[in-house]
Amino acid sequence: MVDEKTVVDSLRRVIDPDLKTDIVSLGMVKELKVEDGKVQFTLELTTPACPYNKDIEDSARKAVQSIPGVKEVDMKVTARVWSARTLGAGDSLSSVKNVIAVASGKGGVGKTTVAINLACSLARSGAKVGLVDADIYGPMIPKIVNIIQPPRIVANNKVEPARIMLGIKVMSLGLFVDENTAVIWRGPLVASAVRQLLTDAAWGDLDYLIVDLPPGTGDASLTLAQTIPLTGVVIVTTPQAAAAVIAAKALRMFRRLGIPIIGIVENMSYFVCSHCGAESRMFGNSVTEKMASELDAPLLGRIPLMPEVSTNYDKGVPIVVADPKSPASKALNEISRNIAARISILAHESKAKAEKM
Ligand SMILES: Nc1ncnc2c1ncn2[C@@H]1O[C@H](COP(=O)(O)OP(=O)(O)O)[C@@H](O)[C@H]1O
Ligand SMILES: [Mg+2]
Protein backbone atom coordinates (compact mmCIF):
# COMPACT_ATOMS: atom_id res chain seq x y z
CA MET A 1 0.00 0.00 0.00
CA VAL A 2 1.17 3.55 -0.70
CA ASP A 3 1.71 5.62 2.40
CA GLU A 4 2.50 9.27 3.07
CA LYS A 5 6.17 8.62 3.64
CA THR A 6 6.60 7.03 0.21
CA VAL A 7 4.91 10.02 -1.40
CA VAL A 8 7.02 12.54 0.54
CA ASP A 9 10.23 10.66 -0.30
CA SER A 10 9.31 10.69 -3.92
CA LEU A 11 8.47 14.42 -3.89
CA ARG A 12 11.84 15.12 -2.30
CA ARG A 13 13.38 14.30 -5.65
CA VAL A 14 11.66 17.32 -7.21
CA ILE A 15 14.09 20.23 -7.08
CA ASP A 16 13.18 23.90 -7.54
CA PRO A 17 15.72 24.98 -10.19
CA ASP A 18 16.05 28.48 -8.77
CA LEU A 19 16.33 27.65 -5.12
CA LYS A 20 18.27 24.44 -5.76
CA THR A 21 16.39 22.78 -2.95
CA ASP A 22 13.71 20.09 -3.00
CA ILE A 23 10.07 21.11 -2.79
CA VAL A 24 9.42 19.24 0.46
CA SER A 25 12.23 21.05 2.32
CA LEU A 26 10.93 24.31 0.89
CA GLY A 27 7.54 23.63 2.48
CA MET A 28 5.79 23.68 -0.87
CA VAL A 29 3.91 20.42 -0.28
CA LYS A 30 0.81 20.96 1.83
CA GLU A 31 -2.29 19.06 2.96
CA LEU A 32 -1.06 15.67 1.88
CA LYS A 33 -3.60 12.84 2.14
CA VAL A 34 -3.12 9.28 0.97
CA GLU A 35 -6.05 6.86 0.88
CA ASP A 36 -6.50 3.63 -1.07
CA GLY A 37 -3.99 4.61 -3.72
CA LYS A 38 -5.45 8.06 -4.08
CA VAL A 39 -2.97 10.86 -3.38
CA GLN A 40 -4.21 14.34 -2.63
CA PHE A 41 -2.00 17.36 -1.95
CA THR A 42 -1.52 21.05 -2.55
CA LEU A 43 1.58 22.36 -4.25
CA GLU A 44 2.25 25.86 -3.00
CA LEU A 45 4.54 27.68 -5.43
CA THR A 46 6.69 30.58 -4.27
CA THR A 47 5.29 33.11 -6.72
CA PRO A 48 2.69 32.98 -9.47
CA ALA A 49 5.31 34.49 -11.78
CA CYS A 50 8.11 31.92 -11.50
CA PRO A 51 9.47 30.84 -14.91
CA TYR A 52 9.81 27.23 -13.70
CA ASN A 53 6.32 26.78 -12.23
CA LYS A 54 5.10 24.53 -15.04
CA ASP A 55 8.20 22.31 -14.78
CA ILE A 56 7.84 21.97 -11.02
CA GLU A 57 4.16 21.11 -11.39
CA ASP A 58 4.84 18.49 -14.05
CA SER A 59 7.73 16.94 -12.13
CA ALA A 60 5.72 16.78 -8.91
CA ARG A 61 2.79 15.11 -10.64
CA LYS A 62 5.05 12.61 -12.42
CA ALA A 63 6.95 11.82 -9.22
CA VAL A 64 3.72 10.80 -7.50
CA GLN A 65 2.21 9.04 -10.51
CA SER A 66 5.29 6.86 -10.87
CA ILE A 67 4.94 5.37 -7.37
CA PRO A 68 3.71 1.79 -7.73
CA GLY A 69 0.20 1.48 -6.34
CA VAL A 70 -0.83 5.10 -6.95
CA LYS A 71 -4.14 5.07 -8.79
CA GLU A 72 -5.07 8.71 -8.75
CA VAL A 73 -3.28 12.03 -8.17
CA ASP A 74 -5.27 15.05 -7.12
CA MET A 75 -2.82 17.96 -7.00
CA LYS A 76 -4.02 21.47 -6.32
CA VAL A 77 -1.63 24.27 -7.31
CA THR A 78 -1.56 27.56 -5.45
CA ALA A 79 1.02 30.29 -5.08
CA ARG A 80 1.95 32.26 -2.02
CA VAL A 81 4.55 34.91 -2.57
CA TRP A 82 7.38 34.62 -0.11
CA SER A 83 8.55 37.67 1.67
CA ALA A 84 12.25 38.49 1.66
CA ARG A 85 11.88 41.41 4.03
CA THR A 86 12.57 41.57 7.69
CA LEU A 87 9.94 43.71 9.29
CA GLY A 88 10.72 46.21 11.96
CA ALA A 89 8.38 46.81 14.87
CA GLY A 90 5.48 49.08 13.97
CA ASP A 91 6.18 48.70 10.29
CA SER A 92 3.37 50.54 8.55
CA LEU A 93 3.79 48.36 5.50
CA SER A 94 3.42 45.08 7.34
CA SER A 95 0.77 43.77 4.93
CA VAL A 96 3.15 44.25 2.01
CA LYS A 97 5.29 41.19 1.35
CA ASN A 98 7.92 42.65 -0.94
CA VAL A 99 9.03 46.14 -1.79
CA ILE A 100 11.03 46.41 -4.99
CA ALA A 101 12.78 49.66 -5.88
CA VAL A 102 13.50 50.48 -9.53
CA ALA A 103 16.51 52.78 -9.77
CA SER A 104 19.05 54.04 -12.28
CA GLY A 105 22.15 56.15 -12.49
CA LYS A 106 20.74 58.67 -14.93
CA GLY A 107 17.31 59.76 -16.16
CA GLY A 108 15.61 58.74 -19.36
CA VAL A 109 16.91 55.17 -19.35
CA GLY A 110 13.45 53.63 -18.92
CA LYS A 111 12.98 53.29 -15.16
CA THR A 112 9.33 54.28 -15.26
CA THR A 113 8.76 52.07 -18.30
CA VAL A 114 10.22 49.08 -16.47
CA ALA A 115 8.33 49.86 -13.25
CA ILE A 116 4.88 50.15 -14.84
CA ASN A 117 5.30 47.14 -17.12
CA LEU A 118 6.70 45.07 -14.25
CA ALA A 119 3.62 45.99 -12.21
CA CYS A 120 1.28 44.92 -15.03
CA SER A 121 3.17 41.74 -15.73
CA LEU A 122 3.17 40.62 -12.10
CA ALA A 123 -0.48 41.58 -11.66
CA ARG A 124 -1.46 39.60 -14.70
CA SER A 125 0.27 36.52 -13.33
CA GLY A 126 -2.11 36.74 -10.35
CA ALA A 127 -0.09 38.73 -7.81
CA LYS A 128 -1.45 41.69 -5.82
CA VAL A 129 0.56 44.70 -6.88
CA GLY A 130 1.07 48.32 -5.82
CA LEU A 131 3.13 51.03 -7.46
CA VAL A 132 4.68 54.14 -5.92
CA ASP A 133 5.85 56.94 -8.14
CA ALA A 134 8.66 58.35 -6.02
CA ASP A 135 9.90 60.63 -8.75
CA ILE A 136 8.84 63.74 -6.86
CA TYR A 137 10.23 66.19 -9.42
CA GLY A 138 8.68 64.55 -12.44
CA PRO A 139 5.82 62.22 -11.46
CA MET A 140 4.97 60.45 -14.72
CA ILE A 141 2.74 57.55 -13.78
CA PRO A 142 -0.62 59.42 -13.69
CA LYS A 143 0.20 60.78 -17.14
CA ILE A 144 1.00 57.47 -18.78
CA VAL A 145 -1.66 55.14 -17.38
CA ASN A 146 -5.40 55.55 -17.19
CA ILE A 147 -6.59 56.14 -13.65
CA ILE A 148 -9.72 54.06 -13.10
CA GLN A 149 -10.40 55.26 -9.56
CA PRO A 150 -8.80 58.34 -7.99
CA PRO A 151 -7.26 58.20 -4.52
CA ARG A 152 -9.49 59.05 -1.56
CA ILE A 153 -9.14 59.67 2.14
CA VAL A 154 -10.34 56.80 4.30
CA ALA A 155 -10.29 56.22 8.07
CA ASN A 156 -7.39 57.53 10.24
CA ASN A 157 -6.33 59.98 7.56
CA LYS A 158 -5.01 57.16 5.45
CA VAL A 159 -5.26 57.43 1.70
CA GLU A 160 -6.81 54.70 -0.37
CA PRO A 161 -4.43 54.52 -3.38
CA ALA A 162 -5.69 55.19 -6.90
CA ARG A 163 -6.56 52.20 -9.06
CA ILE A 164 -5.31 51.52 -12.54
CA MET A 165 -5.78 48.46 -14.75
CA LEU A 166 -5.50 44.91 -13.35
CA GLY A 167 -6.37 46.12 -9.85
CA ILE A 168 -2.96 47.77 -9.42
CA LYS A 169 -2.88 50.37 -6.63
CA VAL A 170 -0.97 53.56 -7.31
CA MET A 171 0.37 56.45 -5.27
CA SER A 172 2.00 59.41 -6.97
CA LEU A 173 2.50 63.04 -6.12
CA GLY A 174 1.06 63.69 -9.57
CA LEU A 175 -2.33 62.55 -8.25
CA PHE A 176 -2.36 65.31 -5.67
CA VAL A 177 -0.46 68.20 -7.23
CA ASP A 178 -1.51 70.12 -10.32
CA GLU A 179 0.53 69.05 -13.30
CA ASN A 180 1.76 72.58 -14.00
CA THR A 181 2.97 73.27 -10.50
CA ALA A 182 6.72 73.04 -10.53
CA VAL A 183 7.98 71.17 -7.52
CA ILE A 184 11.00 73.01 -6.20
CA TRP A 185 11.26 71.25 -2.88
CA ARG A 186 14.61 70.38 -1.49
CA GLY A 187 15.98 67.52 0.56
CA PRO A 188 13.79 67.31 3.68
CA LEU A 189 10.54 67.97 1.80
CA VAL A 190 11.35 65.40 -0.84
CA ALA A 191 12.12 62.93 1.90
CA SER A 192 8.84 63.57 3.68
CA ALA A 193 6.83 63.38 0.44
CA VAL A 194 8.33 59.99 -0.38
CA ARG A 195 7.71 58.78 3.16
CA GLN A 196 4.08 59.91 3.00
CA LEU A 197 3.38 58.28 -0.34
CA LEU A 198 4.57 55.01 1.17
CA THR A 199 3.29 55.10 4.69
CA ASP A 200 0.09 57.15 4.50
CA ALA A 201 -1.45 54.81 1.97
CA ALA A 202 -3.82 52.04 2.99
CA TRP A 203 -2.14 49.40 0.82
CA GLY A 204 -3.89 46.35 2.19
CA ASP A 205 -2.40 42.96 1.30
CA LEU A 206 0.17 43.22 -1.47
CA ASP A 207 2.57 40.66 -2.87
CA TYR A 208 4.74 43.27 -4.55
CA LEU A 209 5.02 47.01 -4.06
CA ILE A 210 7.12 48.56 -6.80
CA VAL A 211 8.78 51.91 -6.19
CA ASP A 212 9.80 53.99 -9.20
CA LEU A 213 12.68 56.12 -7.93
CA PRO A 214 13.99 59.37 -9.38
CA PRO A 215 17.34 59.00 -11.18
CA GLY A 216 20.56 58.94 -9.22
CA THR A 217 21.27 58.42 -5.60
CA GLY A 218 19.66 61.46 -4.00
CA ASP A 219 17.26 62.14 -1.17
CA ALA A 220 14.41 59.95 -2.37
CA SER A 221 16.60 56.85 -2.60
CA LEU A 222 18.17 57.45 0.78
CA THR A 223 14.79 58.08 2.40
CA LEU A 224 13.36 54.95 0.90
CA ALA A 225 16.27 52.88 2.14
CA GLN A 226 15.91 54.32 5.63
CA THR A 227 12.12 54.29 5.89
CA ILE A 228 11.17 50.77 4.98
CA PRO A 229 12.80 47.38 4.68
CA LEU A 230 13.33 46.92 0.96
CA THR A 231 13.37 43.49 -0.58
CA GLY A 232 15.83 44.72 -3.12
CA VAL A 233 16.57 47.04 -5.98
CA VAL A 234 16.46 46.63 -9.75
CA ILE A 235 18.93 48.83 -11.62
CA VAL A 236 17.98 49.98 -15.11
CA THR A 237 20.69 50.98 -17.58
CA THR A 238 21.33 51.30 -21.32
CA PRO A 239 24.12 49.66 -23.36
CA GLN A 240 26.46 52.67 -23.47
CA ALA A 241 29.61 52.65 -21.38
CA ALA A 242 28.79 56.05 -19.89
CA ALA A 243 25.43 54.78 -18.63
CA ALA A 244 27.07 51.68 -17.18
CA VAL A 245 29.52 53.76 -15.17
CA ILE A 246 26.82 55.66 -13.30
CA ALA A 247 24.57 52.62 -13.05
CA ALA A 248 27.47 50.85 -11.34
CA LYS A 249 27.86 53.81 -8.99
CA ALA A 250 24.16 53.64 -8.04
CA LEU A 251 24.39 49.89 -7.55
CA ARG A 252 27.33 50.26 -5.18
CA MET A 253 25.48 52.89 -3.18
CA PHE A 254 22.46 50.63 -2.68
CA ARG A 255 24.76 47.82 -1.67
CA ARG A 256 26.45 50.06 0.88
CA LEU A 257 23.03 50.87 2.31
CA GLY A 258 22.57 47.14 2.82
CA ILE A 259 19.92 46.74 0.13
CA PRO A 260 20.06 43.47 -1.81
CA ILE A 261 20.55 43.86 -5.56
CA ILE A 262 17.83 41.96 -7.43
CA GLY A 263 19.61 42.54 -10.70
CA ILE A 264 20.27 44.73 -13.70
CA VAL A 265 17.93 45.42 -16.62
CA GLU A 266 19.36 46.67 -19.90
CA ASN A 267 16.88 48.84 -21.79
CA MET A 268 17.07 50.07 -25.40
CA SER A 269 19.48 47.21 -26.05
CA TYR A 270 18.83 46.91 -29.75
CA PHE A 271 16.40 48.40 -32.24
CA VAL A 272 13.58 46.30 -33.63
CA CYS A 273 12.00 47.62 -36.81
CA SER A 274 8.19 47.64 -36.47
CA HIS A 275 7.78 46.88 -40.16
CA CYS A 276 10.21 44.09 -40.89
CA GLY A 277 11.23 42.94 -37.40
CA ALA A 278 14.96 43.35 -38.22
CA GLU A 279 17.21 43.93 -35.21
CA SER A 280 20.14 46.32 -35.06
CA ARG A 281 22.50 47.42 -32.33
CA MET A 282 22.62 51.20 -32.34
CA PHE A 283 25.02 51.52 -29.47
CA GLY A 284 27.57 48.92 -30.52
CA ASN A 285 28.48 46.14 -28.18
CA SER A 286 26.93 46.36 -24.78
CA VAL A 287 29.08 46.67 -21.69
CA THR A 288 26.27 45.66 -19.33
CA GLU A 289 27.22 42.01 -19.19
CA LYS A 290 30.77 42.85 -18.17
CA MET A 291 29.53 45.33 -15.56
CA ALA A 292 27.05 42.80 -14.16
CA SER A 293 29.69 40.13 -13.77
CA GLU A 294 32.23 42.56 -12.28
CA LEU A 295 29.65 43.67 -9.73
CA ASP A 296 28.39 40.14 -9.18
CA ALA A 297 24.80 41.10 -9.97
CA PRO A 298 22.50 39.11 -12.25
CA LEU A 299 21.54 40.52 -15.65
CA LEU A 300 17.76 40.12 -15.59
CA GLY A 301 17.20 40.75 -19.28
CA ARG A 302 17.37 43.12 -22.21
CA ILE A 303 14.55 45.23 -23.65
CA PRO A 304 14.61 46.27 -27.30
CA LEU A 305 14.03 49.84 -28.36
CA MET A 306 10.68 49.98 -30.12
CA PRO A 307 8.59 53.07 -30.85
CA GLU A 308 5.47 51.20 -29.60
CA VAL A 309 6.85 51.18 -26.07
CA SER A 310 6.64 54.93 -26.07
CA THR A 311 3.52 55.52 -28.18
CA ASN A 312 1.39 53.23 -26.03
CA TYR A 313 1.90 55.74 -23.23
CA ASP A 314 -0.38 58.13 -25.11
CA LYS A 315 -3.19 55.59 -24.91
CA GLY A 316 -2.64 55.12 -21.18
CA VAL A 317 -1.86 51.43 -21.56
CA PRO A 318 1.63 49.93 -21.03
CA ILE A 319 3.01 47.73 -23.82
CA VAL A 320 2.77 44.39 -21.96
CA VAL A 321 -1.00 44.93 -21.85
CA ALA A 322 -1.47 46.75 -25.17
CA ASP A 323 0.57 44.33 -27.25
CA PRO A 324 1.66 41.24 -25.29
CA LYS A 325 3.18 39.61 -28.38
CA SER A 326 5.61 42.41 -29.17
CA PRO A 327 9.31 41.59 -28.65
CA ALA A 328 9.48 44.35 -26.02
CA SER A 329 6.57 42.77 -24.09
CA LYS A 330 8.17 39.35 -24.26
CA ALA A 331 11.39 40.78 -22.87
CA LEU A 332 9.54 42.67 -20.12
CA ASN A 333 7.51 39.60 -19.13
CA GLU A 334 10.65 37.50 -18.93
CA ILE A 335 12.33 40.15 -16.79
CA SER A 336 9.32 40.15 -14.46
CA ARG A 337 9.48 36.39 -14.07
CA ASN A 338 13.22 36.62 -13.37
CA ILE A 339 12.61 39.30 -10.75
CA ALA A 340 9.93 37.18 -9.04
CA ALA A 341 12.29 34.21 -9.08
CA ARG A 342 15.19 36.25 -7.66
CA ILE A 343 12.90 37.42 -4.85
CA SER A 344 12.01 33.83 -4.00
CA ILE A 345 15.76 33.10 -3.85
CA LEU A 346 16.43 36.12 -1.61
CA ALA A 347 13.55 35.01 0.65
CA HIS A 348 14.96 31.50 0.78
CA GLU A 349 18.43 32.84 1.65
CA SER A 350 17.15 35.15 4.37
CA LYS A 351 15.05 32.31 5.82
CA ALA A 352 18.08 30.00 5.80
CA LYS A 353 20.17 32.74 7.45
CA ALA A 354 17.51 33.31 10.15
CA GLU A 355 17.41 29.59 10.89
CA LYS A 356 21.18 29.49 11.38
CA MET A 357 21.13 32.33 13.91
N1 LIG B 1 12.48 50.20 -24.88
C1 LIG B 1 12.02 51.37 -25.24
N2 LIG B 1 11.67 51.62 -26.54
C2 LIG B 1 11.21 52.85 -26.91
N3 LIG B 1 11.05 53.89 -26.09
C3 LIG B 1 11.37 53.70 -24.79
C4 LIG B 1 11.85 52.45 -24.31
N4 LIG B 1 12.07 52.57 -22.97
C5 LIG B 1 11.73 53.83 -22.65
N5 LIG B 1 11.31 54.52 -23.74
C6 LIG B 1 10.90 55.93 -23.80
O1 LIG B 1 11.99 56.72 -23.32
C7 LIG B 1 11.52 57.79 -22.52
C8 LIG B 1 12.13 57.70 -21.12
O2 LIG B 1 11.65 56.54 -20.48
P1 LIG B 1 11.21 56.53 -18.96
O3 LIG B 1 10.72 55.17 -18.63
O4 LIG B 1 10.28 57.65 -18.68
O5 LIG B 1 12.65 56.80 -18.30
P2 LIG B 1 13.07 57.22 -16.79
O6 LIG B 1 11.94 56.87 -15.89
O7 LIG B 1 14.31 56.42 -16.52
O8 LIG B 1 13.37 58.67 -16.84
C9 LIG B 1 9.99 57.68 -22.51
O9 LIG B 1 9.46 58.52 -23.48
C10 LIG B 1 9.74 56.23 -22.87
O10 LIG B 1 8.52 56.07 -23.52
MG1 LIG C 1 10.84 58.08 -14.64
Side-chain angles (χ1 to χ4, degrees):
M1 266 327 246
V2 193
D3 58 11
E4 279 188 20
K5 188 178 171 306
T6 321
V7 175
V8 170
D9 285 347
S10 174
L11 285 170
R12 273 192 200 282
R13 285 195 286 269
V14 181
I15 308 292
D16 182 310
D18 274 327
L19 307 177
K20 299 183 177 52
T21 308
D22 73 87
I23 59 171
V24 175
S25 307
L26 290 169
M28 287 158 78
V29 177
K30 302 252 153 101
E31 288 148 8
L32 175 65
K33 253 186 18 207
V34 184
E35 225 176 71
D36 302 330
K38 183 180 171 190
V39 180
Q40 229 181 0
F41 67 101
T42 301
L43 179 68
E44 192 183 75
L45 300 164
T46 56
T47 161
C50 171
Y52 297 114
N53 280 356
K54 196 78 194 60
D55 297 348
I56 299 175
E57 256 181 75
D58 290 347
S59 312
R61 185 174 288 112
K62 277 198 201 115
V64 179
Q65 273 166 348
S66 66
I67 304 169
V70 169
K71 287 183 234 145
E72 200 186 325
V73 181
D74 177 4
M75 179 178 84
K76 249 198 273 152
V77 182
T78 61
R80 189 178 54 92
V81 175
W82 286 5
S83 170
R85 310 162 63 219
T86 17
L87 292 172
D91 190 331
S92 57
L93 288 145
S94 54
S95 58
V96 176
K97 286 187 185 159
N98 290 292
V99 185
I100 308 167
V102 181
S104 72
K106 60 182 200 130
V109 296
K111 229 180 324 44
T112 302
T113 304
V114 168
I116 182 81
N117 282 287
L118 172 63
C120 290
S121 189
L122 290 171
R124 220 180 16 202
S125 72
K128 295 195 191 83
V129 180
L131 183 60
V132 174
D133 182 358
D135 198 342
I136 300 297
Y137 295 106
M140 280 300 289
I141 287 173
K143 290 190 206 160
I144 59 174
V145 276
N146 296 329
I147 304 291
I148 294 170
Q149 187 189 296
R152 57 195 173 96
I153 304 282
V154 288
N156 310 325
N157 267 333
K158 288 265 175 188
V159 179
E160 166 91 34
R163 294 289 183 124
I164 60 166
M165 69 199 73
L166 302 166
I168 299 168
K169 299 176 180 176
V170 172
M171 285 291 270
S172 166
L173 195 65
L175 295 163
F176 306 98
V177 176
D178 173 10
E179 187 177 326
N180 300 315
T181 312
V183 176
I184 44 164
W185 300 341
R186 277 188 292 184
L189 267 179
V190 169
S192 84
V194 170
R195 209 172 290 130
Q196 279 183 40
L197 287 175
L198 283 161
T199 58
D200 286 0
W203 291 111
D205 289 333
L206 289 184
D207 292 316
Y208 303 102
L209 179 62
I210 296 155
V211 185
D212 180 17
L213 284 170
T217 48
D219 298 308
S221 307
L222 288 171
T223 304
L224 182 70
Q226 287 157 359
T227 308
I228 54 168
L230 281 170
T231 304
V233 60
V234 172
I235 308 275
V236 182
T237 185
T238 54
Q240 300 99 316
V245 171
I246 40 180
K249 207 171 128 196
L251 192 152
R252 284 196 205 94
M253 184 212 74
F254 283 106
R255 223 172 232 164
R256 270 208 358 238
L257 292 170
I259 298 168
I261 308 298
I262 296 173
I264 301 168
V265 171
E266 188 187 87
N267 188 24
M268 312 189 191
S269 295
Y270 48 95
F271 176 72
V272 179
C273 172
S274 327
H275 303 292
C276 67
E279 295 180 6
S280 50
R281 293 191 164 272
M282 306 95 62
F283 301 120
N285 279 335
S286 153
V287 295
T288 312
E289 215 144 61
K290 186 160 165 274
M291 170 188 107
S293 86
E294 271 170 18
L295 291 166
D296 193 23
L299 182 55
L300 298 164
R302 295 194 152 101
I303 308 161
L305 181 87
M306 298 187 72
E308 295 87 326
V309 173
S310 196
T311 48
N312 272 302
Y313 276 178
D314 305 332
K315 299 181 208 144
V317 184
I319 186 121
V320 294
V321 176
D323 185 6
K325 292 215 166 67
S326 120
S329 299
K330 284 189 185 147
L332 283 156
N333 283 323
E334 191 194 315
I335 288 166
S336 304
R337 287 192 294 272
N338 287 339
I339 289 173
R342 269 286 287 163
I343 287 174
S344 298
I345 295 174
L346 291 172
H348 178 62
E349 283 173 1
S350 74
K351 221 156 111 186
K353 219 191 274 166
E355 275 162 14
K356 263 191 221 140
M357 288 201 291

